Amino acid sequence: MASQQSGDAHQNEPEYNPHVSSSRWRHQESSAYRRHAAHHGPAREPVSTDPSTGSLANFLNSSRIEPPEDPNGGGNFKPITVTATQVDGEKAEDDGRGEAKADGKEVICGPLLNYRYMEQNRWYGSVLVVTKGGGKDVLYQPSLLLRRVGEAKSLLPGEAGAGTALNGANGNTDQSASQGTQFEARRLYSDPRSTFWAFQIDVPVEANEVKYEYVIHEVRYSREHKPRVNSFYVPAADESMRVMFHSCNGFSVGTDEEAFSGAPLWRDVMRKHERAPFHVMLGGGDQIYNDGIRVNGPLRPWTDIGNPKKRAEYPFPESLRSECDDYYLKNYIRWYNSDPFALANGQIPQVNIWDDHDIIDGFGSYVDHFMRCDVFRGIGGTAHKYYLLFQHHIPPPVSTYTSDHLDANGEDTMEDPNQMIDTFVAEPQLGNQYIRGTKPGPYVAEHSINIYSRLGARMAMLGIDARTERTRRQVNYPETYKLIFERLRGELAEASSSGRPIKHLILLLGIPIAYPRLTWLENILRSPLIGPIKFLNRRFGVGGGLFNQFDGSVDLLDDLDDHYTAKTHKVERRNLIEELQRISAEFSTRVTILGGDVHLAALGRFYSNPKLKLSVEKDSRYMANVVSSAIVNKPPPQAVANLLARRNKIHHLNHETDETLLDLFNKDPGESNKTADHNHCTMPSRNYAMLTENSPNNAATTNGAPEVEGDGQETGSFEGKDGHSELHSGEVHAGTEHRAASEAHGRGNDGSLDIRINVEKDQYSAEGQTEAYGLSVPVLRYEKPATAGSRGTAEVAQGPLPAQQQAD
């Protein structure tokens, strides 16, 4: 939606925008926009550079558009249709109405490639395809041919023979199974619209990095740009994976997508993948944006209701569930088929957690009584269904919540026969990588699924599902944390006893955890002064832009409550970090955190209080938080990034742990001017991250990479320095001049972890060229204190400090 314009603009002037927001607090529709949207769709939105605090609010609420007052003005939901097209010389039979008759061979989405886990020198993954048509009876069961192409070092880009082993790009599949391994599909879910097939694939882990190709037999594809032959890489047995991290992979409602050239950073991802293949890509949430369900989808009539109480009482019958189900299905098919993302999701194995936009904006962070309304319970279950299918390749529950089908206690504990008509659902099956919560979430009536998976020889990842159990007062249940850390300790202990310890643990979170506080804004919005304004809003509509149209609360609070740094999550956040510190010390494992959501790039760190005189190499409290967001969505205005930079204080998790952002951005990307001169720690530009271990095996080559000269980093004493300075040699020259930002990324041999954030130079370029900013994180060489009473790291092993000793 259009951003604010000055009051000087007149209707007859060229810059006048009739669809402008009248609210300084959020993108609120004008009456002109409401009339326009009913017939033409959303207006275009330029990048806002409003320097006021209103920019912060507009940014945090950029995905929210209020409904039209006229009930006939909305409801412009148009189902996304997927039609059969002629592919590879085949065309489906016509059904007499001008549409292709489903024969079970038309792939309408996929293939989508997932990584699962490594075990006993084997790599396990899965491939998902969605075919047109289905039901209880199988129309056609596809099969997949997987073939070892060869060692990656002999298949560098540009060399003859690379990528041609499986019949070229036309997808003809005449080879015999003896030239590869045949995998049969498992049917996960099927109804008259579509069928989900998953291939569980596994290959040996060998002494060298190996390239594999796969093709699916006798199918047609509804998208010409989707490769018929896809490939992926498995790391060498004694090497860790090269990791790509992304979040916010979609556009908020009202964003002018053309002004941001679509999703060009995925082209940059694939360029880097061709030079040094990624073994896995970690999705930190918002892999898809489903917010449009309330603007041009079946929830528009619900959103149109002006009274929050009536909206909370709105039912979620089977008819509405079916429409919402259709919306989520078709939106997933549309987005996961979109070029260039579609190229990446079939060739770089994915591991994902979800966040609010995978459901709807702010889900889990509105007031409790409203979150328990029928509509939120209904869409929570429906979104979860397709999250499991598309992002995890596992069967969904047999049925999801409707207000039509409840037991005597008002619970949906029984299977709904209405949802089982001509529908097949496979038996539940979770892989070894999942850590399932003990009880359903408060608003999504399903168990959380957290993830532990080894990422090669010396790395592992832990992904915490921070959405299924989320409320305004909690992120996860205490019981879930207990399960997660029991599993983590068991895995790290087993790795240590096997002689192959985990040196780097990657913690995947949906929200940054080392990030500037916005307590001042929370205090204002929770102030008693807001009460009279809220009353006037209910009675006379005063300050309408300040209050959200879901539950009538102050609109920014759900966004602020989503952050780990919010007051309501302060204790839970501290307990999580302190438990990670204890585990880090126990196994001498360096923890690095990945977080997204905030639509800008930054690098936060936890570290020991400088008074302790503890070097980072021995500091189990040192954890870098890579903040990488968004790979697709628009960034915030400069004013927001600069405001956050002003709030980059040194905070105290407890008396022994400090935290702050690193000045990573020594310059703006390319020739752009994205930040103020004082701001070197927050970058409002689209981005994604890379993480690569500097393998101790590196010498002349690394998985086929050429030799690189010394890193040239400075050394010296860093003891006693605070977080506004470099804390170790890997932070010296952090930014564009760092070795990790160059072609030498990941080619050292000291066991450290190279981190590189690739930042978009020009949003108007469809090529997605990026500027690289780098640093490295050293391995941890923890030394246990001589006595249990020693200061320093002793408290890490003993437990958190008493509550009265916590600083902030």
Side-chain angles (χ1 to χ4, degrees):
M1 182 188 301
S3 61
Q4 272 183 218
Q5 64 189 12
S6 71
D8 298 332
H10 187 270
Q11 293 186 15
N12 296 325
E13 295 178 359
E15 64 270 25
Y16 175 75
N17 182 354
H19 312 301
V20 71
S21 169
S22 60
S23 169
R24 293 187 61 82
W25 278 94
R26 65 203 295 255
H27 291 298
Q28 182 182 25
E29 292 176 355
S30 64
S31 58
Y33 176 77
R34 295 167 186 162
R35 292 191 296 271
H36 170 87
H39 302 288
H40 303 290
R44 296 184 63 174
E45 179 178 12
V47 180
S48 170
T49 56
D50 179 7
S52 69
T53 307
S55 295
L56 175 62
N58 281 332
F59 163 58
L60 290 173
N61 292 277
S62 59
S63 62
R64 296 181 185 159
I65 299 180
E66 293 185 19
E69 294 176 356
D70 179 3
N72 297 319
N76 57 335
F77 169 52
K78 295 180 180 179
I80 301 164
T81 57
V82 181
T83 59
T85 57
Q86 187 169 348
V87 179
D88 302 338
E90 284 191 61
K91 189 173 183 180
E93 177 186 350
D94 194 281
D95 66 356
R97 297 178 297 175
E99 298 180 1
K101 183 179 179 180
D103 58 1
K105 295 185 178 182
E106 182 182 350
V107 174
I108 57 177
C109 190
L112 308 177
L113 176 64
N114 273 19
Y115 168 65
R116 293 188 175 277
Y117 58 92
M118 284 184 172
E119 188 175 81
Q120 296 179 345
N121 292 322
R122 293 196 75 82
W123 179 101
Y124 292 86
S126 61
V127 175
L128 178 84
V129 291
V130 185
T131 56
K132 184 178 181 180
K136 287 192 178 295
D137 298 326
V138 176
L139 300 173
Y140 172 77
Q141 182 176 5
S143 60
L144 178 147
L145 180 66
L146 177 67
R147 181 165 184 254
R148 183 185 186 277
V149 177
E151 294 183 5
K153 66 181 182 181
S154 63
L155 292 168
L156 292 175
E159 293 191 13
T164 60
L166 271 181
N167 312 303
N170 62 7
N172 295 324
T173 56
D174 297 330
Q175 291 195 17
S176 66
S178 63
Q179 293 177 284
T181 303
Q182 196 91 359
F183 291 89
E184 297 302 322
R186 180 189 182 216
R187 187 166 57 144
L188 304 180
Y189 175 86
S190 182
D191 63 29
R193 301 165 301 170
S194 57
T195 301
F196 289 76
W197 297 100
F199 302 91
Q200 306 297 331
I201 60 175
D202 62 280
V203 297
V205 179
E206 303 181 30
N208 293 309
E209 182 182 25
V210 174
K211 180 180 181 180
Y212 285 88
E213 289 182 340
Y214 66 93
V215 66
I216 300 171
H217 291 295
E218 299 177 355
V219 296
R220 305 180 307 277
Y221 288 86
S222 64
R223 293 293 186 271
E224 291 289 352
H225 61 254
K226 188 72 177 183
R228 278 45 176 167
V229 178
N230 288 276
S231 61
F232 64 93
Y233 293 79
V234 174
D238 202 29
E239 299 296 340
S240 299
M241 291 187 178
R242 289 186 289 269
V243 177
M244 177 263 184
F245 168 65
H246 69 92
S247 67
C248 301
N249 181 37
F251 286 107
S252 296
V253 168
T255 302
D256 180 3
E257 298 181 18
E258 291 184 4
F260 289 90
S261 307
L265 261 63
W266 284 109
R267 292 190 173 89
D268 193 63
V269 169
M270 295 309 294
R271 284 193 294 268
K272 290 179 172 55
H273 180 62
E274 289 175 5
R275 290 201 296 269
F278 296 114
H279 299 117
V280 67
M281 64 178 181
L282 305 181
D286 300 337
Q287 277 69 250
I288 185 172
Y289 276 60
N290 286 314
D291 305 334
I293 194 171
R294 62 178 172 79
V295 176
N296 58 0
L299 291 187
R300 184 74 188 224
W302 175 68
T303 315
D304 288 349
I305 300 171
N307 187 312
K309 186 174 184 297
K310 291 182 178 179
R311 189 180 295 112
E313 296 171 349
Y314 198 85
F316 193 78
E318 169 58 23
S319 58
L320 182 55
R321 184 214 62 82
S322 179
E323 291 177 357
C324 291
D325 188 286
D326 211 44
Y327 181 92
Y328 281 108
L329 170 64
K330 291 172 180 176
N331 199 38
Y332 262 105
I333 290 172
R334 176 193 66 84
W335 184 246
Y336 274 70
N337 269 338
S338 298
D339 187 44
F341 176 48
L343 183 62
N345 62 39
Q347 302 202 31
I348 308 176
Q350 306 169 71
V351 178
N352 297 319
I353 61 172
W354 69 340
D355 206 26
D356 58 335
H357 294 284
D358 296 277
I359 311 170
I360 195 171
D361 182 29
F363 189 95
S365 290
Y366 298 108
V367 295
D368 181 74
H369 74 271
F370 188 74
M371 282 302 314
R372 295 183 185 276
C373 75
D374 285 339
V375 171
F376 269 151
R377 292 174 68 182
I379 62 172
T382 307
H384 183 263
K385 167 184 175 179
Y386 289 109
Y387 168 62
L388 294 184
L389 286 167
F390 279 97
Q391 298 196 43
H392 291 280
H393 307 177
I394 56 180
V398 172
S399 60
T400 60
Y401 176 87
T402 70
S403 53
D404 291 343
H405 191 74
L406 302 174
D407 62 18
N409 297 318
E411 299 296 329
D412 59 329
T413 56
M414 302 172 289
E415 295 177 2
D416 186 351
N418 295 318
Q419 298 180 43
M420 295 304 298
I421 297 173
D422 199 17
T423 297
F424 168 84
V425 183
E427 290 294 322
Q429 186 179 55
L430 283 180
N432 295 348
Q433 74 272 31
Y434 292 113
I435 307 165
R436 186 172 183 262
T438 59
K439 59 183 179 181
Y443 313 132
V444 179
E446 304 297 338
H447 295 247
S448 64
I449 50 170
N450 309 280
I451 306 169
Y452 175 88
S453 190
R454 188 153 187 157
L455 302 181
R458 290 167 294 277
M459 288 173 57
M461 63 85 58
L462 174 67
I464 296 182
D465 177 351
R467 188 56 53 180
T468 303
E469 299 171 359
R470 177 181 288 271
T471 71
R472 270 194 161 179
R473 299 293 175 182
Q474 72 173 25
V475 180
N476 288 99
Y477 297 136
E479 301 92 329
T480 299
Y481 284 121
K482 185 173 184 291
L483 277 178
I484 289 172
F485 290 122
E486 284 177 353
R487 170 69 178 273
L488 180 59
R489 278 192 166 87
E491 293 285 355
L492 295 179
E494 182 178 349
S496 295
S497 63
S498 71
R500 304 193 63 167
I502 300 299
K503 305 307 293 183
H504 291 280
L505 175 68
I506 308 300
L507 175 64
L508 183 60
L509 299 174
I511 307 269
I513 198 165
Y515 197 67
R517 311 289 197 269
L518 292 174
T519 306
W520 58 277
L521 187 55
E522 286 186 79
N523 290 337
I524 292 172
L525 298 180
R526 296 184 194 278
S527 167
L529 295 175
I530 294 293
I533 302 175
K534 192 171 183 179
F535 172 78
L536 292 173
N537 171 261
R538 289 197 303 266
R539 293 295 300 271
F540 307 109
V542 173
L546 181 60
F547 301 95
N548 75 63
Q549 298 303 303
F550 279 134
D551 61 3
S553 298
V554 177
D555 196 27
L556 286 178
L557 282 176
D558 69 284
D559 291 281
L560 297 176
D561 286 343
D562 235 21
H563 285 221
Y564 278 104
T565 52
K567 282 184 176 181
T568 53
H569 301 315
K570 181 178 177 181
V571 174
E572 183 176 355
R573 173 181 183 267
R574 186 185 68 232
N575 290 340
L576 171 59
I577 294 301
E578 289 177 339
E579 184 67 8
L580 289 169
Q581 290 175 344
R582 285 190 285 271
I583 290 175
S584 179
E586 186 177 343
F587 296 97
S588 196
T589 298
R590 177 71 69 196
V591 176
T592 298
I593 305 167
L594 305 180
D597 181 74
V598 293
H599 300 182
L600 49 74
L603 198 291
R605 304 104 88 223
F606 295 98
Y607 55 94
S608 284
N609 189 312
K611 294 180 181 179
L612 299 176
K613 304 290 185 180
L614 189 63
S615 68
V616 164
E617 289 75 12
K618 299 177 182 179
D619 184 8
S620 58
R621 297 187 182 90
Y622 180 88
M623 302 177 191
N625 183 182
V626 181
V627 181
S628 182
S629 169
I631 193 170
V632 171
N633 208 353
K634 67 177 183 179
Q638 289 185 24
V640 172
N642 294 335
L643 175 64
L644 289 169
R646 291 289 191 192
R647 304 300 302 172
N648 184 31
K649 312 296 184 182
I650 293 178
H651 297 281
H652 309 286
L653 181 80
N654 54 42
H655 283 187
E656 272 63 45
T657 308
D658 288 354
E659 56 180 289
T660 194
L661 299 182
L662 172 69
D663 282 344
L664 177 64
F665 305 104
N666 57 303
K667 65 180 290 290
D668 287 342
E671 303 301 319
S672 65
N673 183 20
K674 296 180 180 294
T675 61
D677 291 341
H678 69 82
N679 181 6
H680 297 287
C681 61
T682 61
M683 180 56 67
S685 188
R686 294 190 291 186
N687 63 91
Y688 67 94
M690 299 161 45
L691 296 90
T692 308
E693 181 197 35
N694 289 298
S695 170
N697 302 315
N698 284 352
T701 62
T702 299
N703 282 337
E707 184 177 5
V708 177
E709 297 298 327
D711 59 23
Q713 298 297 304
E714 299 177 8
T715 59
S717 175
F718 299 90
E719 293 183 5
K721 291 190 175 183
D722 63 39
H724 285 164
S725 304
E726 296 96 345
L727 295 175
H728 58 90
S729 60
E731 291 184 356
V732 175
H733 300 314
T736 59
E737 299 176 2
H738 196 279
R739 174 184 51 78
S742 72
E743 290 300 314
H745 175 91
R747 297 181 185 179
N749 60 9
D750 62 357
S752 64
L753 184 66
D754 272 357
I755 297 171
R756 174 174 174 172
I757 301 180
N758 300 288
V759 179
E760 184 177 42
K761 294 180 180 179
D762 179 7
Q763 72 181 51
Y764 300 105
S765 170
E767 294 305 309
Q769 298 291 341
T770 60
E771 181 100 54
Y773 300 84
L775 76 154
S776 62
V777 171
V779 292
L780 176 61
R781 296 180 174 88
Y782 177 74
E783 295 180 359
K784 188 175 181 179
T787 63
S790 300
R791 298 295 292 173
T793 55
E795 288 84 355
V796 172
Q798 292 176 355
L801 295 168
Q804 66 269 20
Q805 291 185 286
Q806 307 303 331
D808 72 342

